Amino acid sequence: MTTTTSHSLADNDLFANGAPWEVFEDLRRHDPVSWQEEPAPNHGFWAVTRYVDILEVLRDTETYSSEVGATALEELDSSQIEIRKSMLDSDGERHRALRKLLQHDFTPRALAVYETFLRGLTANTLDAALSMKEFDFVAEVAADFPIRVLAKLLDVPDQDIPQLIKWGNRMVGNTDPEHADVLLDSDESEKYKDLPFRSPAALEVFDYGFSLANARKGGDGTDIVSRLVNQTPIDGKPLDDRDFRNYFLLLIIAGNETTRHTISHTMNNLINNPDAIALLRAQPELIPWAVEEFLRYASPVYHMRRTATRNTKLGGREIKAGDKVVCWFASGNRDEEVFVEPHRFDVTRKPNEHMTFGRGGPHLCLGNSLARLEIQIMFEDLLTRPVDLHHNGTIDYLRSNFIHGIKRFPVKQA
Ligand code: HEM
């Protein structure tokens, strides 16, 4: 393999045709904690690409803080940091308190009550899609399904679902000209610098969230919005408007985009691996475990960021206090030191300690059990049907170095 370390992970074009697996491999081999230049006004970041180094960063929250932004690579000033702060961008006690508010709702036990609903929803989604000979797997299957589950948890009407999908696309697609109304690196985005993803769509999400909150304040609803507005976190500090709107927006994004893309990637990976389809059809009891490989291989969140609180060393490099340290989960998931034949889609892989949801740190994805359940139920249903899906044109990927997303995935039935 040629050395590709000159490629910049800050460049969204590098991700326009899917994940740059060769670049990640090259970085792991030759420059595993690599300094990446960025265009001004940003100052560059460390790209951490080996599994073991990523684990070190996620676990050591004293040295690597989330407080100054965990999703944005952009450097935020102190007022932006405050305005945009969510649970994901908090450390310590406040983080624990915010997380604890909804932690119970996302345990496998609490989610078990949704299983019948999920199976019905999956069956309806697949019945409708498979009634067509040719269709776009994203539009007809993947995009709708996770957001419908979220709509149930938030207790919002089905008619709002298309709007929720559009908001997610506009925010997460802020580096893709097809989805963004204001591109992240455009001068115009300066007007929206206080909003998550610098996206005007965030304002609409806030308005929507507040209208739900106002209607449910003081009520006895058990949905997530009612709980957020009526419960006090364990640190005794109620959610203020900023806390609520950023929590709400985080759920809309996190509960929607990531699972959707995992489902699309998995369908693609299965079509490319007919042996895996045959095995899972013959032994459907393997599917719950196979979900771990679906997740490892999809890696829908490319990275999360931390910021060094002090001078330190990582992978032999000198990190300075204030440096951005970016954990590339997608690269860690293909680390040959941890996964045998990492580029093989092996649905029986064991162990499979992937870092798709983060790993080992306090921010481990809150919705991981829900995502696992949704993906499991989707493929348990799909794989028991006598259908044979094939590619029907090229897959279009999201131009984003944050989310490994699929925009369009044309399929046809044999
Ligand atoms: C395949 C689907 C999903 C993937 C790949 C994913 C991935 C992630 C990742 C990588 C993190 C950050 C981990 C870290 O920085 O250490 C995270 C955090 C989070 N996720 Fe997910 N996620 C998924 C689905 C969901 C769902 C369905 C929900 C909820 C409805 C959700 C809610 C959250 C929340 C609230 C956080 C912040 C947790 C915290 O800061 O403590 N996610 N997720």
Side-chain angles (χ1 to χ4, degrees), residues 58 87-88 95 99 106 150 250-251 254-255 258-259 262 295 300-301 304 306 329 356-358 362-367 370-371 375:
L58 296 180
M87 144 173 41
L88 205 47
H95 168 254
R99 187 172 166 107
F106 289 101
L150 195 70
L250 172 64
L251 291 171
T258 49
T259 316
T262 306
L295 285 159
V301 179
M304 285 281 172
R306 303 292 188 264
F329 303 127
T356 298
F357 295 119
H363 292 276
L364 177 80
C365 174
L366 184 71
L370 175 58
I375 297 161

Side-chain angles (χ1 to χ4, degrees), residues 63-327:
T63 310
Y64 301 102
S65 167
S66 298
E67 287 282 339
V68 292
T71 52
L73 282 182
E74 64 175 310
E75 279 140 52
L76 307 174
D77 62 33
S78 51
S79 109
Q80 286 173 297
I81 290 168
E82 275 317 303
I83 294 172
R84 288 169 53 163
K85 190 173 283 301
S86 76
M87 144 173 41
L88 205 47
D89 317 288
S90 311
D91 293 335
E93 199 190 338
R94 186 60 176 164
H95 168 254
R96 276 192 294 280
L98 290 174
R99 187 172 166 107
K100 198 128 195 167
L101 262 185
L102 294 185
Q103 197 157 352
H104 172 76
D105 299 72
F106 289 101
T107 59
R109 205 156 156 214
L111 292 167
V113 298
Y114 293 105
E115 189 164 334
T116 311
F117 162 76
L118 271 171
R119 291 203 186 273
L121 178 60
T122 312
N124 289 342
T125 305
L126 290 176
D127 286 349
L130 296 170
S131 67
M132 291 175 270
K133 190 96 181 119
E134 303 186 353
F135 59 94
D136 174 15
F137 191 84
V138 174
E140 304 302 332
V141 180
D144 237 41
F145 175 67
I147 196 77
R148 281 186 188 278
V149 181
L150 195 70
K152 176 103 175 150
L153 294 171
L154 297 168
D155 192 18
V156 300
D158 281 2
Q159 75 218 36
D160 294 353
I161 284 173
Q163 185 58 66
L164 294 174
I165 295 177
K166 277 191 205 136
W167 283 328
N169 283 343
R170 284 166 62 198
M171 288 186 284
V172 165
N174 65 350
T175 50
D176 188 318
E178 187 186 330
H179 281 175
D181 26 13
V182 178
L183 279 168
L184 180 68
D185 54 6
S186 66
D187 291 343
E188 200 195 345
S189 81
E190 207 40 34
K191 274 198 285 192
Y192 305 103
K193 70 183 175 59
D194 288 340
L195 295 171
F197 303 98
R198 285 187 175 235
S199 168
L203 283 176
E204 295 167 38
V205 175
F206 291 161
D207 283 348
Y208 180 77
F210 282 131
S211 69
L212 298 174
N214 291 336
R216 294 174 193 185
K217 211 170 212 134
D220 56 4
T222 53
D223 63 276
I224 286 181
V225 175
S226 297
R227 306 266 314 291
L228 286 181
V229 289
N230 294 322
Q231 261 181 232
T232 303
I234 48 165
D235 62 356
K237 287 187 235 154
L239 264 61
D240 59 19
D241 282 357
R242 189 269 322 251
D243 293 334
F244 170 78
R245 65 182 202 192
N246 292 346
Y247 209 136
F248 182 77
L249 185 135
L250 172 64
L251 291 171
I252 298 282
I253 297 288
N256 170 15
E257 293 282 330
T258 49
T259 316
R260 171 221 297 204
H261 295 309
T262 306
I263 290 171
S264 299
H265 282 298
T266 301
M267 192 65 247
N268 182 36
N269 296 331
L270 287 168
I271 291 176
N272 291 336
N273 291 274
D275 290 354
I277 297 190
L279 178 68
L280 296 176
R281 281 204 163 127
Q283 296 182 59
E285 68 279 9
L286 296 180
I287 293 175
W289 182 253
V291 167
E292 301 309 310
E293 184 69 348
F294 298 170
L295 285 159
R296 182 188 76 89
Y297 219 74
S299 292
V301 179
Y302 279 125
H303 69 255
M304 285 281 172
R305 164 192 160 188
R306 303 292 188 264
T307 304
T309 56
R310 52 192 173 212
N311 294 346
T312 187
K313 263 191 158 185
L314 181 69
R317 302 298 294 262
E318 306 276 347
I319 313 284
K320 292 207 174 53
D323 284 353
K324 292 186 286 185
V325 178
V326 180
C327 296

